[in-house]
Amino acid sequence: MDDIVIILVQPQLGENIGATARAMKNFGLSELRIVSPRDGWPNEKAESMSVGAVDLIHSAKIFDSLEDAVKDLDFLYATTGERRDMNKDYIISRNLAQDLQQKGRVGILFGREATGLTNTEIAYANKILTINTVPDFSSLNIAHAVCLVCYEIFNNQNILRSDLGNNQKLATSQERAFLHKYLINALDGKGFFKVAEKKEHMSLKIQNILTRIDKLSHSDVQILIGIISSLVK
Amino acid sequence: MDDIVIILVQPQLGENIGATARAMKNFGLSELRIVSPRDGWPNEKAESMSVGAVDLIHSAKIFDSLEDAVKDLDFLYATTGERRDMNKDYIISRNLAQDLQQKGRVGILFGREATGLTNTEIAYANKILTINTVPDFSSLNIAHAVCLVCYEIFNNQNILRSDLGNNQKLATSQERAFLHKYLINALDGKGFFKVAEKKEHMSLKIQNILTRIDKLSHSDVQILIGIISSLVK
């Protein structure tokens, strides 16, 4: 998690900066950057609200411009409440950990409390990150948004680590597709699809089940192929 | 989500009550109960911190005792930071939505900021709910804890709704166990486990893959059993 930097852009309230630091530390993140905090720096309220995470407040780096704050980073996400009409890839928080893989040093931008990030700021990012909420009450407290993102990252650390061991590499979409096709062919050979018209529907159902295997790895695919080829013997 | 009630037990800061209401509304929960708020009720800081969720603050019900606050509920979770040595089932937040099914009217308890819930209060609950954090910094801001729990519930609404359609019923642990055993037996019959010493290890790996199928339903299990029985023909 040392490669993930949380960046607050012009946060207004010290309390929110403090609560952000606490949430980061709860979930093992440690690098906080702040672009032009409204009430200056250092900020007493940020210190007191951070409780035991005051070390993150003391080591936070302050920047005058977003450009300076992100120039050493390899990949940037911009967090927005509602989807904006910009020509940029979107990802929801639930899928963040998986998406983070092999991105190098990553920054995640959070905008000011009242107005979020401007379109100019979002333009710096490679992708937009959204947190799904009820549509008519989508404005999250900024520290809550940081907390949810850090929680997602922490709860999927094994995904993040999985590119270390070769066997633990996540399956590619090609491997998943191959597995599905291999299974359908085996079933075809055994006359599983008795009613031709239902084949497509059942094939989709099977694909749907396979898709729902969380963190399917390269070696999982090999095991499943081995199982299928053994069963048809 | 109308069946899920958030219950704060002796919260100390109005700000946290307000932030709790806002997080609940972000994720579609609406019923807030408060047992003996330290600073009395109504609380101005709770109102101002709730921003657009002041309706939840106004409709919050205040109780003098935990017993009164929970007596109409069918099932109760007690949220704790660290696992406690109590004779009670545990669940992590990630698995909450699945666990909530068919529980009727559910209450989720959150303790006071400084000290959490007492063991006597936890004793009221049917299960303990924990949020995984880094071990040496596990104390979450109370509104953050509520926010994470509401986020988990909201992001798994389809799980919660899935007990409506009969075919969509989630598989029970017995059904999952039966599926695993059925597959292992089929593989045994085909001589899949060539090296006897490795059978247990491989069987565990297979179980692990099956466990990771998200939202495995009763009908998914039937499909998979059908696939296995067809392949061995």
Side-chain angles (χ1 to χ4, degrees):
Chain A
M1 325 261 262
D2 292 344
D3 282 336
I4 301 168
V5 181
I6 299 294
I7 304 159
L8 304 181
V9 181
Q10 293 190 4
Q12 300 163 269
L13 297 170
E15 290 87 337
N16 285 333
I17 303 173
T20 289
R22 180 173 174 184
M24 287 173 63
K25 190 165 175 175
N26 284 140
F27 297 112
L29 277 81
S30 59
E31 192 172 342
L32 174 62
R33 299 182 182 181
I34 310 172
V35 180
S36 311
R38 187 193 65 182
D39 297 339
W41 200 258
N43 182 315
E44 261 181 42
K45 285 179 178 160
E47 298 200 2
S48 67
M49 191 72 180
S50 70
V51 193
V54 74
D55 51 324
L56 269 71
I57 295 293
H58 289 159
S59 65
K61 294 190 191 98
I62 311 299
F63 296 86
D64 287 333
S65 74
L66 179 57
E67 197 179 348
D68 284 342
V70 303
K71 65 183 173 198
D72 63 324
L73 301 175
D74 300 312
F75 199 91
L76 215 54
Y77 294 90
T79 314
T80 68
E82 284 164 83
R83 303 206 164 188
R84 305 216 193 168
D85 192 20
M86 291 182 76
N87 184 19
K88 219 175 255 303
D89 280 344
Y90 280 92
I91 187 178
I92 60 166
S93 53
R94 205 53 147 184
N95 299 328
L96 173 63
Q98 182 127 12
D99 197 68
L100 278 173
Q101 292 197 99
Q102 293 165 319
K103 293 273 195 293
R105 253 176 99 62
V106 167
I108 306 177
L109 299 177
F110 295 84
R112 40 194 86 60
E113 288 89 334
T115 52
L117 294 164
T118 66
N119 285 349
T120 314
E121 287 158 355
I122 294 175
Y124 277 89
N126 303 81
K127 263 192 192 178
I128 291 180
L129 170 66
T130 60
I131 296 169
N132 285 340
T133 58
V134 297
D136 55 355
F137 195 69
S138 67
S139 166
L140 287 163
N141 170 289
I142 184 176
H144 290 190
V146 173
C147 180
L148 292 168
V149 165
C150 296
Y151 168 85
E152 283 293 350
I153 294 170
F154 180 77
N155 273 281
N156 290 288
Q157 277 185 86
N158 22 11
I159 294 185
L160 296 176
R161 290 198 187 115
S162 68
D163 49 343
L164 296 175
N166 228 343
N167 283 335
Q168 285 302 93
K169 246 186 190 154
L170 285 188
T172 63
S173 52
Q174 285 90 337
E175 283 173 321
R176 281 186 181 257
F178 177 79
L179 171 64
H180 177 238
K181 205 171 167 188
Y182 190 88
L183 177 57
I184 298 302
N185 285 343
L187 288 169
D188 249 340
K190 294 285 186 170
F192 180 78
F193 303 107
K194 287 161 210 142
V195 188
E197 302 88 67
K198 289 191 180 167
K199 180 179 170 182
E200 199 184 337
H201 179 65
M202 181 53 82
S203 169
L204 259 177
K205 277 200 167 195
I206 293 169
Q207 183 169 30
N208 197 276
I209 295 174
L210 294 176
T211 306
R212 277 182 281 127
I213 307 179
D214 195 27
K215 300 170 201 165
L216 186 76
S217 69
H218 175 72
S219 84
D220 290 338
V221 171
Q222 290 180 313
I223 289 171
L224 292 169
I225 298 279
I227 286 174
I228 297 163
S229 92
S230 174
L231 290 176
V232 297
K233 254 192 266 173
Chain B
M1 325 263 261
D2 292 343
D3 282 337
I4 301 168
V5 181
I6 299 295
I7 304 160
L8 304 181
V9 180
Q10 293 191 2
Q12 300 164 268
L13 296 170
E15 289 88 335
N16 285 333
I17 304 172
T20 290
R22 180 173 175 185
M24 287 174 61
K25 190 165 175 175
N26 284 141
F27 297 113
L29 278 80
S30 59
E31 193 172 342
L32 174 62
R33 299 182 183 182
I34 310 173
V35 179
S36 310
R38 187 192 65 183
D39 296 340
W41 200 257
N43 182 314
E44 260 182 43
K45 284 178 180 162
E47 298 200 2
S48 66
M49 193 71 181
S50 70
V51 192
V54 74
D55 51 326
L56 268 70
I57 295 293
H58 289 160
S59 65
K61 294 191 191 96
I62 310 298
F63 296 86
D64 287 332
S65 73
L66 179 56
E67 197 179 348
D68 285 342
V70 302
K71 65 182 174 197
D72 62 324
L73 301 175
D74 301 311
F75 199 91
L76 214 55
Y77 295 90
T79 314
T80 68
E82 284 165 84
R83 302 208 166 187
R84 304 216 194 166
D85 192 21
M86 291 184 74
N87 184 19
K88 221 176 253 303
D89 280 345
Y90 279 94
I91 187 178
I92 60 165
S93 53
R94 205 53 146 185
N95 299 329
L96 173 64
Q98 182 131 6
D99 198 68
L100 276 173
Q101 290 198 101
Q102 293 167 319
K103 292 273 195 293
R105 252 176 101 62
V106 168
I108 307 177
L109 300 177
F110 294 84
R112 39 195 86 62
E113 289 88 335
T115 52
L117 295 164
T118 66
N119 284 350
T120 314
E121 288 159 354
I122 294 175
Y124 277 90
N126 303 82
K127 264 191 192 178
I128 291 180
L129 171 65
T130 60
I131 296 168
N132 285 339
T133 58
V134 298
D136 55 354
F137 196 70
S138 66
S139 166
L140 286 162
N141 171 290
I142 184 176
H144 289 190
V146 174
C147 180
L148 292 168
V149 165
C150 295
Y151 169 85
E152 283 293 350
I153 294 170
F154 180 79
N155 273 281
N156 291 287
Q157 276 185 87
N158 23 8
I159 294 187
L160 295 176
R161 289 198 189 116
S162 70
D163 51 344
L164 296 175
N166 228 344
N167 284 334
Q168 286 301 95
K169 247 188 191 153
L170 285 188
T172 63
S173 51
Q174 285 91 337
E175 285 173 320
R176 280 187 182 257
F178 177 79
L179 171 64
H180 178 237
K181 206 170 166 191
Y182 191 87
L183 176 57
I184 298 301
N185 284 344
L187 288 169
D188 249 340
K190 294 285 187 171
F192 179 77
F193 303 107
K194 286 163 212 142
V195 189
E197 302 89 69
K198 287 190 181 167
K199 180 179 169 182
E200 200 184 335
H201 179 66
M202 181 52 85
S203 170
L204 260 177
K205 277 200 165 192
I206 293 170
Q207 184 170 28
N208 196 276
I209 296 174
L210 294 177
T211 305
R212 277 182 281 126
I213 306 178
D214 194 28
K215 299 170 200 165
L216 185 76
S217 70
H218 174 73
S219 82
D220 290 338
V221 171
Q222 290 181 314
I223 290 171
L224 291 170
I225 297 281
I227 286 175
I228 296 163
S229 93
S230 173
L231 290 177
V232 296
K233 254 191 265 176

